Amino acid sequence: MWVPAAVVLALQGEHWQAVFLAAWGTLVVGMADNFLRPLLISGRVEVPTLAVFVGVMGGLSAFGFIGLFIGPIVLGLLVALFASSGTAVGRGRPGQE
Protein backbone atom coordinates (compact mmCIF):
# COMPACT_ATOMS: atom_id res chain seq x y z
CA MET A 1 0.00 0.00 0.00
CA TRP A 2 2.84 2.37 0.74
CA VAL A 3 4.58 1.78 -2.62
CA PRO A 4 1.81 3.34 -4.76
CA ALA A 5 1.51 6.18 -2.27
CA ALA A 6 5.26 6.85 -2.50
CA VAL A 7 5.04 6.81 -6.31
CA VAL A 8 2.15 9.28 -6.27
CA LEU A 9 4.06 11.57 -3.93
CA ALA A 10 7.11 11.41 -6.20
CA LEU A 11 5.01 12.20 -9.28
CA GLN A 12 3.50 15.18 -7.48
CA GLY A 13 6.96 16.56 -6.79
CA GLU A 14 7.00 15.71 -3.08
CA HIS A 15 10.32 13.88 -3.28
CA TRP A 16 11.34 14.04 0.39
CA GLN A 17 7.95 12.77 1.48
CA ALA A 18 8.16 9.95 -1.08
CA VAL A 19 11.63 8.95 0.12
CA PHE A 20 10.50 9.07 3.76
CA LEU A 21 7.41 6.98 3.03
CA ALA A 22 9.43 4.40 1.08
CA ALA A 23 12.03 4.19 3.86
CA TRP A 24 9.33 3.96 6.53
CA GLY A 25 7.50 1.23 4.65
CA THR A 26 10.65 -0.75 4.00
CA LEU A 27 12.40 -0.40 7.33
CA VAL A 28 9.73 0.01 9.98
CA VAL A 29 6.66 -1.69 8.52
CA GLY A 30 8.55 -4.44 6.70
CA MET A 31 10.76 -5.32 9.62
CA ALA A 32 7.90 -5.20 12.10
CA ASP A 33 5.93 -7.55 9.86
CA ASN A 34 8.84 -9.98 9.62
CA PHE A 35 9.43 -10.04 13.37
CA LEU A 36 5.95 -9.67 14.83
CA ARG A 37 3.94 -11.97 12.54
CA PRO A 38 5.68 -15.16 13.66
CA LEU A 39 5.48 -14.08 17.30
CA LEU A 40 1.85 -13.01 17.32
CA ILE A 41 0.22 -15.26 14.76
CA SER A 42 2.06 -18.51 14.31
CA GLY A 43 3.62 -19.07 17.72
CA ARG A 44 4.16 -22.77 18.18
CA VAL A 45 1.45 -23.78 15.74
CA GLU A 46 2.44 -23.81 12.09
CA VAL A 47 -0.22 -21.84 10.22
CA PRO A 48 0.19 -21.35 6.46
CA THR A 49 0.44 -17.77 5.22
CA LEU A 50 -2.73 -18.10 3.12
CA ALA A 51 -4.66 -19.24 6.20
CA VAL A 52 -3.32 -16.27 8.15
CA PHE A 53 -4.42 -13.96 5.34
CA VAL A 54 -7.91 -15.50 5.35
CA GLY A 55 -8.03 -15.14 9.14
CA VAL A 56 -7.01 -11.49 8.97
CA MET A 57 -9.52 -10.65 6.23
CA GLY A 58 -12.30 -12.63 7.93
CA GLY A 59 -11.60 -10.97 11.25
CA LEU A 60 -11.50 -7.56 9.60
CA SER A 61 -14.85 -8.08 7.89
CA ALA A 62 -16.49 -9.56 10.99
CA PHE A 63 -15.10 -7.34 13.75
CA GLY A 64 -13.64 -4.27 12.03
CA PHE A 65 -10.19 -2.99 12.98
CA ILE A 66 -9.89 -5.15 16.09
CA GLY A 67 -10.55 -8.15 13.83
CA LEU A 68 -7.03 -7.71 12.46
CA PHE A 69 -5.91 -9.21 15.74
CA ILE A 70 -8.88 -11.39 16.68
CA GLY A 71 -9.06 -13.23 13.34
CA PRO A 72 -5.53 -14.71 13.40
CA ILE A 73 -5.80 -15.50 17.11
CA VAL A 74 -9.02 -17.45 16.57
CA LEU A 75 -7.47 -19.16 13.57
CA GLY A 76 -4.41 -20.18 15.57
CA LEU A 77 -6.57 -21.49 18.39
CA LEU A 78 -8.65 -23.55 15.96
CA VAL A 79 -5.56 -25.00 14.30
CA ALA A 80 -4.11 -25.90 17.71
CA LEU A 81 -7.43 -27.42 18.79
CA PHE A 82 -7.70 -29.55 15.65
CA ALA A 83 -4.06 -30.60 15.93
CA SER A 84 -4.42 -31.69 19.55
CA SER A 85 -7.77 -33.40 19.02
CA GLY A 86 -6.41 -35.27 15.99
CA THR A 87 -3.61 -36.78 18.06
CA ALA A 88 -5.94 -37.59 20.95
CA VAL A 89 -8.56 -39.30 18.74
CA GLY A 90 -6.13 -41.86 17.35
CA ARG A 91 -5.01 -43.08 20.78
CA GLY A 92 -8.28 -44.44 22.12
CA ARG A 93 -8.94 -44.77 25.84
CA PRO A 94 -6.09 -45.04 28.32
CA GLY A 95 -5.12 -48.62 29.04
CA GLN A 96 -6.42 -49.97 25.72
CA GLU A 97 -3.88 -50.48 22.98
Side-chain angles (χ1 to χ4, degrees), residues 9-94:
L9 284 171
L11 291 175
Q12 291 177 347
E14 304 291 338
H15 299 292
W16 286 111
Q17 287 86 352
V19 169
F20 175 77
L21 184 60
W24 178 267
T26 302
L27 298 175
V28 176
V29 176
M31 292 299 172
D33 184 49
N34 289 335
F35 288 118
L36 293 178
R37 182 190 320 216
L39 293 175
L40 296 175
I41 295 174
S42 295
R44 295 183 185 177
V45 178
E46 292 297 322
V47 180
T49 304
L50 181 62
V52 171
F53 177 73
V54 170
V56 168
M57 291 297 116
L60 185 63
S61 68
F63 300 109
F65 178 74
I66 195 72
L68 289 173
F69 305 102
I70 292 175
I73 291 171
V74 170
L75 178 72
L77 289 172
L78 286 174
V79 168
L81 178 68
F82 288 142
S84 67
S85 69
T87 57
V89 170
R91 285 187 268 170
R93 284 196 265 175

